[in-house]
Amino acid sequence: MKLECMPCFVRQVLMELDGSDITMEGKEKALRASLRRLSEMDMTLPPVGVSLILHRLLREWGVGEDPYRELKMSSTSKALKILPDLERMLDENGDRLKMAAMMAIAGNVIDYGAANLLSLERTLEDAVHGGMAVDDFEDFGRELLKADTLSYHLDNSGEVVLDGLFIREIIRERPDLRIRAFVKNSPLLNDVTLKDAVDGGLGAVDNVELIELPHEGWVSEDDIDSDEAEIIIAKGQGNYESLSESGRKNLFFLLVVKCDVVSRELGADIGEMIFKRS
Amino acid sequence: MKLECMPCFVRQVLMELDGSDITMEGKEKALRASLRRLSEMDMTLPPVGVSLILHRLLREWGVGEDPYRELKMSSTSKALKILPDLERMLDENGDRLKMAAMMAIAGNVIDYGAANLLSLERTLEDAVHGGMAVDDFEDFGRELLKADTLSYHLDNSGEVVLDGLFIREIIRERPDLRIRAFVKNSPLLNDVTLKDAVDGGLGAVDNVELIELPHEGWVSEDDIDSDEAEIIIAKGQGNYESLSESGRKNLFFLLVVKCDVVSRELGADIGEMIFKRS
């Protein structure tokens, strides 16, 4: 994490408190405890590691296991609602696979909070007309032709509906490909859990095995190093922050840039789409 | 202050650290100390009170007296550059006084950080076409006809250039009016100090006496209560947050809404312009 990530963590604390039913006084105490904990935080942790520590702390203060639950359900149902429109767009488009990839990436804006699907549509439109800021899609397409196995690390609820769209297009290209789609084993922020992935339609896709991470928290470099899949897709900024140092080849980062730190690192503006080979 | 103000304070700390030349290690220590201080903060303080405490703390850690100095100078010079365009707009407009008031309010967006004059222009354009979210300007115009004295509490550097434009129009309406324009007596964030006001052209306006607040920090209700001016103008969200409970009549708040807390309180969206009688 960087020093400048700090305001985001405080915002996350406020969001978890906001979704809880503890008293105003309890919220104030929990916020003070979070600030104290942040003042002593290990700065070598990736951002998601800090989020996890805060999430555990807030549970001690009475915030529920899954404070983003309602937000997650609402973003899933909104994404399911626009799915037929997106499928129609695919039918009208020449390069189905790339278009579906861009839709999955654009879905990453759902992370912003209020599941603002207008900005999803705008993000997608910008990308279709202006292209992606980093575009290693051709590389991915070449690798896909050779691969028999693929791991897909999912990111946010709601967004997972569009990952499903992309995964179905991947399977259309390579009907024998075996896909393992990874979800978190406990709810952190609006990350996809097994239930969220099933709600988003990923439970019913042939070829796809839904797997919970074997440990709480975030995808580590060790997870990636020990994965024998020929292609690994890591969705979202959190996974990029955790895995960008990985030497693993055939690791592809798909995300929308959401803060200055990642913007500087990738040389792309906030809001731009990234399809980057590690 | 509200719990949800906390991320903004952390952002302010980062901005002050960013403008300083202390080492990375020193910045980390200062940020940790700030978070610790925030975890113990008196929540009954107005937001500017919290900013002042953090500002003092950061000076102990080696951040200079005026960390926003360069940003302030650049926003002043940018504002001076568009001044002729704004004056031309006034010449072409029917109601000079109201138009100048709206320009002064729109100038309040300069607070956002990078002195983004594009968004100043957009804010102004929205207001000209869509009106202000709260518009007690007519009330102000009536009071102005009767008044002999007016106090004007300035807010941010850069913005002060547009306050000058408004003040000159006020004087054009009431050439005998005596105006006291208040600045901060020490630099807090991008608040106007005496030097900033002079840089922004307010030193040379007849009728206007530039006065430093008699104490460090923010304008208090006591300051307002003991002020004998017939009209008081308070610019900006910080002054609104500090003085909104004041029972003082003929106090006018001019600001652009910049956060959810004030947005809820005023029933206006972020980015909307407010000309509100107390």
Side-chain angles (χ1 to χ4, degrees), chain B residues 83 87 90 96-105 137 140 144 149-156 159-183 192 197-198 200-211 231-235 254 275:
Chain B
L83 195 55
E87 277 166 347
L90 282 187
R96 293 182 69 95
L97 185 66
K98 181 164 190 181
M99 190 67 188
M102 290 186 1
M103 287 171 177
I105 298 174
F137 174 80
F140 169 77
L144 188 60
T149 51
L150 181 148
S151 289
Y152 198 115
H153 288 272
L154 299 163
D155 189 21
N156 299 312
E159 175 178 351
V160 73
V161 173
L162 310 187
D163 291 312
L165 192 77
F166 180 35
I167 287 172
R168 284 192 293 276
E169 290 305 319
I170 290 175
I171 293 167
R172 185 192 291 256
E173 295 281 321
R174 295 293 321 277
D176 296 326
L177 190 72
R178 280 168 296 127
I179 298 179
R180 301 196 307 160
F182 286 90
V183 296
V192 178
V198 171
L202 260 189
V205 183
D206 285 347
N207 301 42
V208 177
E209 186 187 0
L210 276 176
I211 301 177
I231 299 176
I232 302 181
I233 291 175
K235 264 308 278 294
L254 278 59
F275 195 124

Side-chain angles (χ1 to χ4, degrees), chain A residues 3-8 10-11 14 17 24 27-28 31-33 35-36 38-43, chain B residues 3-8 10-11 14 17 24 27-28 31-33 35-36 38-43:
Chain A
L3 297 190
E4 65 196 279
C5 300
M6 222 39 112
C8 275
V10 181
R11 214 170 13 243
L14 290 167
L17 290 173
M24 201 54 210
K27 285 180 181 172
E28 187 184 318
L31 177 60
R32 289 185 190 279
L35 290 165
R36 212 155 43 235
L38 279 170
S39 77
E40 298 153 2
M41 192 61 73
D42 173 3
M43 301 290 290
Chain B
L3 298 189
E4 65 196 281
C5 301
M6 223 40 111
C8 276
V10 181
R11 214 170 12 245
L14 289 167
L17 290 172
M24 201 53 209
K27 285 180 182 173
E28 186 183 319
L31 177 59
R32 289 184 191 279
L35 289 165
R36 212 154 45 234
L38 278 169
S39 78
E40 298 154 1
M41 193 60 74
D42 173 2
M43 302 290 289

Side-chain angles (χ1 to χ4, degrees), chain A residues 34 74 78 90 105 139 147 149 159 202 235 252 266:
Chain A
S34 305
S74 125
K78 282 185 190 167
L90 283 186
I105 298 174
D139 250 33
T149 50
E159 175 178 350
L202 259 190
K235 266 307 278 292
F252 291 90
L266 289 172

Side-chain angles (χ1 to χ4, degrees), chain A residues 81-92:
Chain A
K81 218 169 277 169
I82 61 159
L83 195 55
D85 290 337
L86 296 178
E87 276 166 346
R88 217 170 7 253
M89 279 174 73
L90 283 186
D91 289 339
E92 291 161 6

